[in-house]
Amino acid sequence: MAENTAETVRNAVVEAALGKLDLDAKTRLLAGQDMWSLPALPEIGLKSLVMSDGPIGVRGVRWTADDPSVALPSPTALAATWDPALARRAGRLLAQEARRKGVHVLLAPTVNLHRTPLGGRHFEAYSEDPYLTGAIGTGYVQGVQDGGVGTTVKHFVANDAETDRFTVDNRIAPRPLRELYLAPFEAIVRNARPWGIMTAYNQVNGVTMTEHHELVNEVLRGEWGFDGYNVSDWMAARSTTADIAGGLDVAMPGPDTVYGPALAAAVRAGEVEESAVDTAVRNVLRLAARVGALEGAPPVVTEHPAAVDGDALAREIARRGFVLVRNENGALPLAAGRTVALSGAAARDARVLGGGSAQVFPDHVVSPLDGLAAALPDDALTFTIGADPSEELAPADQGFTLRARCRDASGTVIGEGSLPNGQVQWIGDDLPAGVTHEALASIEVVGTFTPRESGEHAFGTRGLGAFTLTVAGETLYEGTQALGPETDPFEAFFGSPVERGKVALTAGETVEVSLLHTLDKEFAAPLPAVMFSFVHLAPRRDPDELIAEAVEAARAADTAVVVVATTERVESEGFDRKDLALPGRQDDLVRAVAAVNPNTVVVVNAGSPVELPWREDVAAILLSWFPGQEGGAALADVLTGAEEPGGRLPTTWPVTLADAPVTEVTPTDGELHYGEGVFIGYRAWDKAGAVPAYPFGHGLGYTTWSYDTLTATPDAVAVRITNTGDRPGRETVQIYLAPNADTAERPARWLAAFASVEAAPGESVETEIALPRRAFEIWDEEKDDWTLVTGAYEVVAAHSLTDGRLTATLEV
């Protein structure tokens, strides 16, 4: 009742504020004033609303490590926990981080589906399954908004690949659109009431999503009752009149957008009704009221949840998301007193988060080497590089301390800023204090480098324009990098680095480094931005020698642990994958180590599936995803048995790319046809009769379970299970439905519900799990509505999709 009263007051304050604004003020409010915020309107007591990227951490409005962010595990890892309550706790932590950084709205969660294994940004989305995606996304949104911070569920809709994402027209029939791609958004809107949604770059069935009146105004707002604000993906808004008619409230980023003065002019010209502008402004003011940015309006949250320990939660999510897909002869957990040979460059320099807009800068990272060194006795652990996944220069990081010195055209220093690494990425007003784009003429990256290895270190540049590169007093390059075959300037800025020279350096001896970059308007980015990189590659030793060293260490140890990984050139925002192979000689390393040590454990540090051609030759395989800042500590917890790996696969893991039933991500003549209909993920594998390496829902623990009883009604199932092992554990009980006689061209089976259960050794637990009516419905394209499909269903209580334990027949 109190909240209803507060909502009434909020709405009244919003209407009063709206009534005080003239047309120019209203249209100005709908356009970003810069990269991350909307303008303040002091005349109505409105503060500037601030947005920030935030799937796994809250970066804030600056690309800097000066204000570090807690880095949680990747969204695929969070989904692998199969625990919406844990996702809610993650959301509460992120809200806490957002409040600390003065952020009102997080640009997350990403609830697009893993339609194919090739999606380059799949680490930032949850799952191939719409029900699991909706459940985890609901928990995330609830948690963030528990903390009084808004969310923008993205990218609405069908942004399921990166290739030509700005222009692709995804052609999707109504049934798969409803049953798969819209389903997670619908579940989150109905169950979590998000305060925002982000519309995607792509088109759906011939209409750009920022202009999609049918899906935004009729479905999202009309059918589902969404009452939040709709913000464009960055630079997705392209038409003043079509965007406002299509239900887009805010065009980002600013200051130059299709709204603002252009929208006011369209109203005055009679092309747009002012009432449409009022509707959009009302949605923005409602958001401001909810987050406490509109004077006189009570915020939704007046008492924030209890403070969350970010390090502890990051560590818990990581271990709960680790998926143990293979464990032969009790290889894990490691027995006490065993020696361990650790190898793989990714064990020392872990990739803990994905690239692109999900990137944040934590104040520390616990690598697998750090974690195991802390957990094992001093003489129990050895480390060898073995193989390095990165074979090209990358932004300067380990051993570098760098700053950016900014000068005007006369050479006068006008500002300085710290850099988290060798990548300069200043967009909009994200510039060092005192620096403006108008005055800025050159940037010099200056600092020191203390190498970890002696030998020939390679240095270079990435980006367009004039560069002067100096290392240890020697000028390695002075020249200009022109635009090559790339058609997209962003591809040039974030594409292939160029080696400019090599310098022989000695481990531990510090040298000075400098990269001067002079700006040239010919190479300007599509929006006010400075983007270039100072890149580096450590000495490359003979790969066969590195593998031989790892083999000798593995031969002498009780257990060999090999960490393999992808790189930012394999998985990141902006491009899709060409294959699922691990980069470099990592497969060779695993095979060589496994040949000499039967107790070989492989840790796979990747955000989404990769091929594991040696999977039958090793004792254990643990999928660690991108595990966040505490990933190494969590890994030690799980390998030593202090904690159980809790994850279950949120996406099917193929043997090879050739086996995957759905792989197309490249448009033909601008169109990408979702011709597979409702058959993606495990639904497609079942239809094709294909067998993956590891099925959806698979994951092993350190104890065993018996499934004892199952009872089912059309509304719920009750499952009783017993922990039959000798240690406490957690089981994810998965409920699948399979129609006995299908009349509607449905998948062979689908996930209908799930629940997590904890039990001590010998303890039995019963859990009741609601069955949503939607699980028995299809979208009837003739009726243009949901239709219940009656008949007999087999209800399966399962450990995974292919490991059903109990069945019951249900008549609906």
Side-chain angles (χ1 to χ4, degrees):
M1 183 65 73
E3 177 50 34
N4 288 341
T5 301
E7 182 74 11
T8 301
V9 173
R10 274 194 294 275
N11 288 337
V13 173
V14 164
E15 292 303 322
L18 176 61
K20 295 176 184 175
L21 297 177
D22 62 20
L23 177 62
D24 292 312
K26 287 187 286 193
T27 57
R28 192 166 74 249
L29 179 59
L30 304 182
Q33 68 174 349
D34 53 29
M35 188 66 185
W36 302 112
S37 69
L38 299 182
L41 297 178
E43 63 268 32
I44 58 170
L46 177 67
K47 298 176 184 174
S48 172
L49 282 165
V50 179
M51 302 167 238
S52 170
D53 285 320
I56 58 98
V58 184
R59 187 169 62 244
V61 300
R62 304 188 73 82
W63 190 265
T64 174
D66 291 345
D67 182 15
S69 309
V70 173
L72 295 178
S74 64
T76 42
L78 185 60
T81 70
W82 288 57
D83 190 344
L86 186 59
R88 189 167 191 164
R89 290 170 56 204
R92 288 183 170 188
L93 170 67
L94 295 175
Q96 176 178 301
E97 286 278 280
R99 295 194 306 269
R100 180 174 66 81
K101 288 174 176 266
V103 168
H104 301 105
V105 183
L106 289 188
L107 304 173
T110 302
V111 299
N112 301 114
L113 297 183
H114 298 176
R115 177 177 163 266
T116 88
L118 291 176
R121 201 176 177 181
H122 279 353
F123 61 86
E124 196 183 315
Y126 293 128
S127 171
E128 69 189 22
D129 182 78
Y131 181 77
L132 177 60
T133 296
I136 298 297
T138 292
Y140 179 101
V141 168
Q142 288 172 330
V144 174
Q145 294 183 177
D146 285 346
V149 174
T151 55
T152 49
V153 189
K154 65 184 188 182
H155 308 84
F156 188 75
V157 61
N159 181 183
D160 309 300
E162 295 294 279
T163 303
D164 295 346
R165 60 177 175 161
F166 291 95
T167 57
V168 62
D169 180 9
N170 293 321
R171 310 297 292 199
I172 313 171
R175 185 175 166 196
L177 183 60
R178 289 282 189 159
E179 293 184 20
L180 297 179
Y181 304 101
L182 287 171
F185 291 95
E186 180 182 4
I188 294 167
V189 167
R190 293 190 186 279
N191 297 323
R193 314 305 301 176
W195 300 343
I197 204 121
M198 181 189 290
T199 35
Y201 295 120
N202 54 277
Q203 301 174 56
V204 170
N205 298 331
V207 182
T208 299
M209 278 310 307
T210 53
E211 305 168 15
H212 216 302
H213 175 88
E214 178 191 355
L215 291 181
V216 172
N217 288 336
E218 296 178 19
V219 176
L220 174 66
R221 293 197 185 277
E223 286 184 33
W224 303 346
F226 173 70
D227 68 351
Y229 90 123
N230 170 16
V231 62
S232 72
D233 203 343
W234 266 226
M235 298 185 294
R238 298 163 192 144
S239 167
T240 301
T241 55
D243 281 332
I244 198 73
L248 183 72
D249 298 324
V250 173
M252 290 296 290
D256 297 321
T257 81
V258 297
Y259 283 174
L263 181 55
V267 172
R268 292 186 174 112
E271 298 167 358
V272 171
E273 294 290 334
E274 189 166 355
S275 60
V277 174
D278 289 347
T279 297
V281 172
R282 186 177 289 112
N283 291 333
V284 174
L285 293 176
R286 187 182 299 119
L287 169 69
R290 285 170 167 166
V291 300
L294 181 61
E295 194 174 298
V300 171
V301 177
T302 54
E303 290 188 27
H304 297 129
V308 180
D309 182 328
D311 293 354
L313 184 59
R315 186 169 180 167
E316 180 183 352
I317 294 171
R319 64 173 171 78
R320 291 275 308 280
F322 288 165
V323 183
L324 184 61
V325 294
R326 179 178 174 87
N327 191 20
E328 297 298 297
N329 303 317
L332 292 178
L334 300 173
R338 293 175 72 85
T339 56
V340 174
L342 179 66
S343 62
R348 181 184 66 182
D349 301 320
R351 186 173 181 198
V352 300
L353 45 79
S357 59
Q359 187 171 14
V360 296
F361 305 104
D363 70 357
H364 66 274
V365 169
V366 183
S367 69
L369 177 56
D370 296 333
L372 284 170
L376 299 175
D378 290 345
D379 57 353
L381 181 69
T382 61
F383 171 70
T384 54
I385 292 174
D388 194 330
S390 179
E391 298 177 303
E392 62 180 22
L393 289 81
D397 191 1
Q398 298 287 341
F400 289 85
T401 302
L402 302 172
R403 295 185 62 76
R405 188 170 294 152
C406 302
R407 293 183 174 90
D408 62 16
S410 70
T412 302
V413 174
I414 56 176
E416 281 198 14
S418 65
L419 292 175
N421 54 38
Q423 183 168 302
V424 176
Q425 183 169 310
W426 298 331
I427 303 176
D429 290 340
D430 182 9
L431 293 166
V435 179
T436 65
H437 285 286
E438 293 72 23
L440 183 61
S442 69
I443 306 97
E444 185 179 13
V445 175
V446 296
T448 60
F449 174 48
T450 307
R452 295 187 294 194
E453 298 101 356
S454 297
E456 293 271 303
H457 288 254
F459 297 87
T461 63
R462 184 171 68 179
L464 301 175
F467 294 100
T468 303
L469 174 63
T470 305
V471 176
E474 178 185 352
T475 298
L476 300 185
Y477 175 75
E478 189 167 9
T480 300
Q481 178 67 41
L483 186 66
E486 307 94 344
T487 55
D488 181 349
F490 279 106
E491 188 179 347
F493 287 118
F494 296 113
S496 298
V498 181
E499 182 179 317
R500 302 299 188 183
K502 290 181 177 174
V503 180
L505 300 175
T506 303
E509 293 189 8
T510 301
V511 296
E512 293 190 351
V513 296
S514 164
L515 176 64
L516 175 64
H517 176 46
T518 304
L519 300 180
D520 185 331
K521 293 201 176 355
E522 178 187 347
F523 303 116
L527 71 170
V530 178
M531 296 186 293
F532 68 97
S533 296
F534 171 34
V535 295
H536 163 259
L537 185 66
R540 298 288 92 177
R541 289 180 52 206
D542 181 270
D544 291 327
E545 284 184 18
L546 292 177
I547 291 173
E549 285 180 4
V551 165
E552 289 313 303
R555 197 193 308 273
D558 296 318
T559 299
V561 177
V562 185
V563 181
V564 297
T566 60
T567 68
E568 283 203 22
R569 299 286 283 151
V570 174
E571 286 185 276
S572 193
E573 180 177 346
F575 56 87
D576 290 312
R577 295 197 281 173
K578 299 293 185 282
D579 57 49
L580 303 182
L582 286 167
R585 295 283 301 278
Q586 296 180 103
D587 288 333
D588 293 340
L589 170 65
V590 174
R591 288 190 185 98
V593 167
V596 301
N597 192 319
N599 292 313
T600 294
V601 176
V602 183
V603 178
V604 182
N605 181 194
S608 45
V610 291
E611 292 174 2
L612 310 175
W614 31 259
R615 69 189 187 287
E616 301 293 339
D617 303 326
V618 300
I621 301 172
L622 185 71
L623 310 178
S624 70
W625 314 105
F626 296 147
Q629 66 180 48
E630 305 297 325
L635 180 65
D637 290 340
V638 165
L639 294 184
T640 62
E643 301 285 356
E644 186 179 39
R648 304 291 183 264
L649 279 178
T651 201
T652 305
W653 203 280
V655 177
T656 68
L657 176 61
D659 299 324
V662 182
T663 58
E664 190 58 66
V665 295
T666 303
T668 301
D669 297 328
E671 295 182 354
L672 184 62
H673 288 259
Y674 285 35
E676 66 282 348
V678 297
F679 297 95
I680 67 168
Y682 62 84
R683 296 161 165 82
W685 286 86
D686 274 351
K687 184 181 182 185
V691 179
Y694 306 107
F696 179 79
H698 174 63
L700 307 172
Y702 289 159
T703 189
T704 55
W705 300 89
S706 68
Y707 279 56
D708 306 326
T709 62
L710 165 66
T711 58
T713 72
D715 299 317
V717 297
V719 183
R720 184 178 181 83
I721 67 173
T722 301
N723 181 347
T724 54
D726 57 7
R727 58 175 287 158
R730 174 188 290 265
E731 174 72 335
T732 299
V733 179
Q734 302 166 35
I735 306 298
Y736 296 92
L737 292 180
N740 283 0
D742 190 31
T743 58
E745 293 185 83
R746 286 179 291 176
R749 53 194 164 177
W750 57 90
L751 180 70
F754 62 90
S756 292
V757 174
E758 292 184 14
E763 182 182 4
S764 297
V765 182
E766 183 167 299
T767 180
E768 184 166 304
I769 310 169
L771 280 180
R773 176 184 169 90
R774 183 60 58 80
F776 301 96
E777 294 179 327
I778 65 163
W779 182 260
D780 189 317
E781 294 183 351
E782 290 186 8
K783 295 180 180 177
D784 198 30
D785 201 358
W786 291 103
T787 297
L788 184 72
V789 182
T790 58
Y793 290 81
E794 185 176 62
V795 182
V796 183
H799 175 77
S800 76
L801 179 76
T802 59
D803 186 4
R805 301 294 179 87
L806 295 171
T807 63
T809 300
L810 186 63
E811 194 74 32
V812 175

